[in-house]
Amino acid sequence: GGGKKAMLRVAPDGQELTLRAARHMASFRLRCPECTANFCAGCMAVPYHVSFTCEQNKERSEARPCRFCSAPLPPGARDGAVCGASDCKTALEGICDVRHKSCKHWCTGVFGEAKCGPCLECSGDADDFCNICWTDAIRAQPCVTLGCGHNFHLACVRQRLEKRWPTAKMSFGFAECPLCRVWVEHAQLGGVMSEIVKLRKVVQDAALERLKLEGGHKDKAGLAKFKGSALDLAMSKYNYYLCKKCSRPYFG
């Protein structure tokens, strides 16, 4: 029929728009015929500020960001403030409350640490995703810099350690850095790691003893696969499980 075409209320990325934002996008969002980049014909912003008018986008760009999720804060918010999201409020309770002396950026470490780690804002790592949860940026939660130098959310590392091995067979890869496989080391994780170290030692001793009883420590071909390490051969060859009653490892 001859009726007017309905106003597009969905952005190119699928998000719903308010009527005001939809009208603004219909009037000002253009695409360059040469480079195909989209831009705003009103304020010349590249790319076009989807979901916001020029005035709203200006307010957002000038507003202080939330310390954790980077959402724009209301006018007058102090530096280092957080938004009203529950996750950000929780993160504030456990985050370090000091700035780095050299650059004045907020520390992304854990409250109460004896020494702050490196500034992740300066290194460019603050916006990287945590390689354990793959959900939030490093800056979104209190994080730890492990002895190997890699950064993760403290809560993610702790949860990984507390869950332990992923199958019935006992293994200890969960206690290694997910990126470089170096053993996890940090003062905030000393308690849980000490228990893991003790448990691994029990399994290693038992595996080595069984290897010697079976004569495997003289197996040159087997040892060659593990660069001569009898321990690595034993840990690869034998399966150990944790008894649910006495919490001790047993061979199976």
Side-chain angles (χ1 to χ4, degrees):
K4 293 184 179 180
K5 186 178 180 180
M7 177 69 66
L8 180 65
R9 295 293 294 275
V10 180
D13 63 356
Q15 62 178 303
E16 294 186 9
L17 302 176
T18 64
L19 180 59
R20 183 182 179 189
R23 286 173 175 170
H24 191 281
M25 186 174 74
S27 301
F28 294 96
R29 184 179 185 273
L30 302 179
R31 184 179 298 278
C32 174
E34 299 295 331
C35 67
T36 70
N38 65 75
F39 65 95
C40 177
C43 64
M44 305 307 293
V46 181
Y48 176 79
H49 38 79
V50 178
S51 299
F52 303 100
T53 64
C54 294
E55 293 78 13
Q56 291 171 332
N57 188 57
K58 182 180 179 181
E59 291 178 0
R60 291 177 72 253
S61 64
E62 294 176 350
R64 290 188 183 277
C66 170
R67 183 175 174 182
F68 301 112
C69 69
S70 298
L73 299 175
R78 63 178 179 80
D79 184 29
V82 301
C83 66
S86 59
D87 288 346
C88 294
K89 290 182 177 179
T90 300
L92 186 62
E93 296 176 359
I95 197 76
C96 180
D97 61 350
V98 303
R99 295 177 185 266
H100 292 282
K101 293 182 179 179
S102 57
C103 61
K104 306 303 181 185
H105 289 137
W106 287 102
C107 177
T108 52
V110 182
F111 180 80
E113 283 186 287
K115 182 181 179 181
C116 292
C119 176
L120 302 188
E121 293 287 350
C122 292
S123 66
D125 295 329
D127 290 320
D128 290 347
F129 278 106
C130 170
N131 281 265
I132 294 179
C133 67
W134 290 102
T135 302
D136 294 319
I138 288 294
R139 69 160 72 249
Q141 296 183 35
C143 68
V144 290
T145 300
L146 302 182
C148 60
H150 291 123
N151 308 294
F152 305 95
H153 297 144
L154 172 62
C156 292
V157 183
R158 189 181 298 280
Q159 184 181 56
R160 177 182 168 94
L161 295 176
E162 290 175 348
K163 282 186 174 181
R164 298 187 172 185
W165 43 89
T167 63
K169 175 188 173 182
M170 297 178 71
S171 59
F172 297 90
F174 70 92
E176 299 173 348
C177 170
L179 295 177
C180 66
R181 315 313 303 178
V182 170
W183 201 247
V184 167
E185 182 183 352
H186 193 277
Q188 292 286 333
L189 302 165
V192 63
M193 281 301 298
S194 65
E195 294 300 318
I196 295 170
V197 169
K198 292 177 183 177
L199 190 58
R200 184 182 66 162
K201 184 66 166 56
V202 172
V203 174
Q204 289 177 333
D205 290 346
L208 272 176
E209 183 178 357
R210 179 165 291 275
L211 185 71
K212 291 178 180 179
L213 287 173
E214 296 182 358
H217 63 298
K218 298 178 181 179
D219 179 7
K220 294 182 179 180
L223 290 170
K225 296 179 181 179
F226 297 93
K227 299 180 180 180
S229 172
L231 176 59
D232 289 344
L233 173 60
M235 292 295 286
S236 174
K237 187 174 183 178
Y238 304 119
N239 294 340
Y240 282 83
Y241 306 86
L242 193 67
C243 178
K244 293 183 178 180
K245 291 184 177 180
C246 67
S247 298
R248 290 183 60 81
Y250 67 89
F251 173 71

